[in-house]
Every structure is written in C-alpha cells, then in structure tokens.
Amino acid sequence: MKLSNVAVTLAAVAPAAADCTRDTLIKAADAYVAAQGQGALGDLEKLLTPDYKVQQNNKASSATASVLGTALKVAHRKTTADTVNCASYTEVIATTPKPYVIGTQLRHTPDGASITLIDIIAATTGALRFDAAKTLSYIEKEQWTEIDASKRDSRALLQQVGDAYLDMWTNASAINAIPWGTPCERVEGSSHNSPCTVGAPKGGSSQRNSNRRYVIDEVLGSCDIHCAFSAVGGVADSHEFRLENGKLRYVHTITL
C-alpha cells in the first residue's frame, strides 16, 4: 500500500469558497469556546442558521442536551481552520467543574457567515483511557506553530496520512504507508506514546472505520477526522494528526 494509491475523497479536493476566510472561521470558534465556558449559546447563537444541527458522539443532540449546555472552565483550546471545506476543528480540555476532552467541528455555509452543524466528540470519566489532567499535561508541552508556506504539506497528503492511520485496523500494510516522524508522539487520554508506532495495529478487523468527517488545515499541518470507530465496535472517535516536513509528528485521539 502506497500513499499515492490511497483514495482522495471529495473532502480534499472540493473547490474553495472565496469568502470563507481563516479569520472568519477562528472568530466563530472563539464564540463556540465562549459558549462552552458559559454553558449557553450566547453570541454563538447569532452565527447559527435557523435550521442548524448539533450532534454529539455521532448522535443527534441539541445545544442544551449536549456538553455545550454544561458550563466548563476551559483550560486549553486549539483551533484549526479549513477554508476549502469552510469548517473548523477546536480541541478543548476542561478539568473543572467536570473533566472533559472535547473535539468539535463547526461546519459553515460556503461564505463562512453562518454555522450549519456543531459536530462534537466529547469524552469524560469512563471513556477509553480518560484522564483530562494527564492529557492536558502532555499537550501543553507540544508545539503547534504555523508552518512556513514553503514547507507546508498538501491537503491531499494530510488526508492520505489520516486515512492510512485509521485504516491500520483493517489493512495490515497501512502501517507502512504512514510517514512516521522522529520523534512522533501519540496522546490517548492518560497514555502518552513515543514513537507513535507503539501498539499500532496491523489489520485484524473486517470493519473499516467509517463516517469520516474531515477538517484539514495546511497552515498548522493538521488533519482532524471525526468517525465511527467501526473496527472496535463503532464507538465515537476523533483523531487529529500533525505533519511536519511530510512526517507525522503528533497524534491526538478522543475515543469513547
């Protein structure tokens, strides 16, 4: 299996929305983070379409029934912006009043002006290897600076690496298609793994991880994928990847 042979879906090649800017997406994400801190929509409501949807852990929800309705003290946030798909991904960690690690994709109208979908993957006590405080301690040590324009990896490569990674559970050769970096660090709740190949699967499941939703940001070298982790029972999952100079540097997972 070679990266050049991995299928590139429409998510990686969709035409750019001319009016969807990085600034617009990040400002909307700021409003989302403020709403999470308040446990109420607040100014975020002004950005929502009349028929906007909320889903949490791959199931239909609402602003009040989802974690968005619970006020959390946000200890960490990181936002990536996808101006091609007019979407953003925000990673949020809270340790009080209740611990959460949250990954939220916001989907916008083509002009970026309004949000059509709030797509949340939210892990708390009881989730796989969950420990918000340990996750925070690992992530705070990382460097997610903007990548120089001359060194940015393509959208196609970012998605291909993410897809190849998620395919490791069903394809024994997928591990060889991933450009592992040195170093490469993987954070899975309370678990910190370096190199990233520690514990990596080599096939074994017949169920490909499905329902993949992408947010790709070349500026930060990031590809986030929300999915159903079908290979291990279909649990809700988010995997974010950072590439530097064509090599995998960081992996963040949120798995229910």
Side-chain angles (χ1 to χ4, degrees):
M1 178 182 178
K2 297 181 180 179
L3 285 179
S4 58
N5 294 329
V6 178
V8 179
T9 71
L10 291 176
V13 296
D19 296 327
C20 185
T21 67
R22 188 174 190 83
D23 185 60
T24 296
L25 294 172
I26 292 175
K27 284 182 178 178
D30 290 344
Y32 156 73
V33 173
Q36 186 62 79
Q38 298 164 1
L41 288 175
D43 288 341
L44 180 63
E45 189 168 12
K46 301 173 185 177
L47 301 176
L48 303 174
T49 60
D51 59 347
Y52 82 97
K53 301 291 191 296
V54 177
Q55 65 180 39
Q56 179 167 304
N57 298 338
N58 297 341
K59 296 179 180 179
S61 188
S62 68
T64 53
S66 68
V67 69
L68 195 53
T70 300
L72 299 175
K73 185 176 181 180
V74 176
H76 161 84
R77 70 77 62 96
K78 172 176 62 63
T79 295
T80 62
D82 185 336
T83 57
V84 173
N85 288 319
C86 211
S88 68
Y89 171 70
T90 298
E91 176 185 74
V92 169
I93 300 176
T95 57
T96 59
K98 185 176 181 179
Y100 272 97
V101 177
I102 303 168
T104 298
Q105 295 183 354
L106 300 180
R107 301 281 168 186
H108 290 245
T109 52
D111 62 359
S114 301
I115 296 166
T116 61
L117 174 65
I118 303 174
D119 186 357
I120 303 167
I121 303 292
T124 189
T125 305
L128 182 68
R129 300 188 182 94
F130 183 81
D131 189 319
K134 283 190 176 181
T135 300
L136 179 62
S137 70
Y138 302 143
I139 289 176
E140 283 182 326
K141 297 173 184 176
E142 298 177 351
Q143 297 293 323
W144 284 71
T145 54
E146 291 189 3
I147 295 172
D148 185 89
S150 65
K151 297 181 179 180
R152 290 173 191 167
D153 294 305
S154 68
R155 292 180 61 83
L157 180 61
L158 289 166
Q159 182 175 331
Q160 286 170 4
V161 171
D163 278 333
Y165 192 101
L166 292 182
D167 286 343
M168 287 194 297
W169 280 260
T170 51
N171 186 332
S173 65
I175 191 171
N176 300 319
I178 298 168
W180 304 103
T182 304
C184 179
E185 300 173 68
R186 184 178 81 245
V187 176
E188 294 177 311
S190 61
S191 175
H192 177 269
N193 300 279
S194 183
C196 291
T197 51
V198 172
K202 295 182 180 179
S205 175
S206 62
Q207 300 296 317
R208 185 174 185 263
N209 295 321
S210 59
N211 191 21
R212 302 182 187 188
R213 292 97 72 194
Y214 304 85
V215 172
I216 300 171
D217 181 349
E218 305 98 307
V219 175
L220 289 180
S222 169
C223 175
D224 174 71
I225 308 175
H226 280 11
C227 70
F229 220 78
S230 305
V232 289
V235 296
D237 176 88
S238 178
H239 268 67
E240 184 182 17
F241 309 92
R242 174 169 164 106
L243 267 65
E244 296 177 359
N245 296 312
K247 301 292 185 179
L248 187 58
R249 179 66 180 90
Y250 297 122
V251 181
H252 291 180
T253 77
I254 307 172
T255 305
L256 274 289

